[in-house]
Amino acid sequence: MSNIVLLIPNNVQKEVMTFYASNFVERKAPGVIFAAKLSDTSITLYKSGKLMFQGGGAEREATRWGHEKSTTVTTGVAAKIGAKGDALPDGFATMSVLGSDETGTGDYFGPVTVAAVYVPASKIELIHELGVKDSKMLTDDYMRRIAPDLRAACVHSVLVLRNEKYNKIQAKGYSQGKIKAMMHNKALGHVLTKMAPEKPDHILIDQFAERGVYYNYLKNEREVVREDVLFSTKAEQLHVAVATASILARASFLKEMDRLSEEADMELLKGASGKVDLMAARIWKQQGEEKLRAMTKWHFANTEKARKLMK
């Protein structure tokens, strides 16, 4: 399905609304000031001045308002940003995609969180309007602020693995890669169930393991999501669905860090630096090993460093 976006001035916005007045449809989505529906094209005008055309007649209708050629993103984008993984079809960024991403895997304190989000082609511009871009370019406070609107706009699933359970699973011999694969697979399955019978054009996983390794991690799972799955590094820059998943995963991680900080009676640090070692030693001394263990990924090297600092 074609997806074309134009940026038009105020005077042209009025012309658009007049031209399509007989085809007006109600759209209460955030940022939308006008919407129309033709037999083969959906037209949406946003407060920002962006005018989006979707459907088989998108090129025809966009040409009325000064469009000359379609604005699709091709696999060249993946090469340009240095992404590695599966080849993506032309126009991938404008397709209906279910994306997944995780956070917290490198943090000593706090959980591992995984999010899967479905963004149909019809909502791509809306998600951009709500403030989504590559999450690595956004601050934690900004992601906290936009996360509620994103959750309301998209079919999604967010899984939070607290460290009490993480440590038990890890002690049984599960690698972090296996844990992440199981969480991604479960979150994707949840979203597919919620959105059924609709199906995404593709599923894109922010790649942390090669395809064969990923599915080997899941060899004992009863249900494994395989159909139309693509893997790529830097996936949050290739489709807004993965960028949205990254934001929702991060927002949930931050919420859990807030809870743990209250329990510790201090604002816990992110990451796994030397300052984290000092903080861990302080909590260990003041509140005991059991308390620290429940807050942390106990197998990290930070534990032994904190133990030495205690001595």
Side-chain angles (χ1 to χ4, degrees), residues 22-256:
S22 62
N23 303 104
F24 171 80
V25 292
E26 187 73 26
R27 284 281 306 280
K28 295 183 179 180
V32 174
I33 59 174
F34 178 81
K37 177 70 175 177
L38 307 183
S39 61
D40 60 356
T41 312
S42 294
I43 298 121
T44 309
L45 178 61
Y46 295 88
K47 291 179 181 177
S48 62
K50 291 179 181 178
L51 179 61
M52 181 172 65
F53 301 90
Q54 295 173 293
E59 194 85 28
R60 180 195 67 238
E61 296 303 315
T63 301
R64 297 180 189 275
W65 310 101
H67 175 69
E68 295 182 356
K69 61 180 180 178
S70 76
T71 54
T72 58
V73 181
T74 69
T75 53
V77 172
K80 186 176 180 180
I81 65 173
K84 297 179 181 179
D86 293 324
L88 306 180
D90 287 348
F92 182 78
T94 65
M95 294 180 178
S96 298
V97 170
L98 169 54
S100 64
D101 200 1
E102 84 282 333
T103 194
T105 57
D107 295 271
Y108 184 56
F109 292 106
V112 174
T113 59
V114 172
V117 178
Y118 175 56
V119 179
S122 61
K123 287 189 176 180
I124 289 175
E125 189 58 29
L126 167 62
I127 299 306
H128 283 304
E129 288 292 317
L130 292 176
V132 173
K133 50 187 174 181
D134 178 3
S135 64
K136 292 181 175 59
M137 300 168 65
L138 306 178
T139 64
D140 283 348
D141 286 343
Y142 184 86
M143 286 188 277
R144 286 181 191 266
R145 193 161 65 250
I146 67 174
D149 287 339
L150 297 176
R151 285 192 286 265
C154 300
V155 181
H156 66 280
S157 174
V158 179
L159 303 180
V160 178
L161 180 62
R162 290 182 172 179
N163 284 326
E164 298 98 322
K165 188 171 182 180
Y166 174 94
N167 289 329
K168 290 179 181 178
I169 296 172
Q170 193 277 331
K172 292 180 179 179
Y174 284 47
S175 67
Q176 196 177 82
K178 183 177 179 68
I179 292 171
K180 288 192 290 184
M182 293 171 67
M183 292 179 72
H184 275 262
N185 182 64
K186 188 174 183 179
L188 291 169
H190 284 171
V191 176
L192 288 170
T193 298
K194 290 179 182 179
M195 59 184 282
E198 185 178 0
K199 289 186 177 182
D201 294 329
H202 294 282
I203 294 171
L204 181 61
I205 297 174
D206 191 47
Q207 185 171 329
F208 56 88
E210 295 293 330
R211 177 183 294 273
V213 174
Y214 175 86
Y215 283 114
N216 186 57
Y217 286 144
L218 301 175
K219 62 185 178 182
N220 295 323
E221 297 300 298
R222 288 193 302 173
E223 296 183 2
V224 178
V225 176
R226 296 179 181 272
E227 186 177 358
D228 296 319
V229 173
L230 297 169
F231 296 84
S232 180
T233 62
K234 301 185 178 181
E236 68 279 358
Q237 298 180 50
L238 300 174
H239 199 281
V240 70
V242 181
T244 305
S246 182
I247 291 168
L248 294 190
R250 185 65 177 176
S252 293
F253 170 82
L254 294 171
K255 182 178 180 180
E256 179 66 8

Side-chain angles (χ1 to χ4, degrees), residues 283-297:
I283 294 171
W284 200 335
K285 182 177 181 180
Q286 294 178 350
Q287 303 184 40
E289 178 179 321
E290 184 177 346
K291 189 74 170 181
L292 178 64
R293 185 187 290 266
M295 297 178 176
T296 63
K297 299 175 183 68

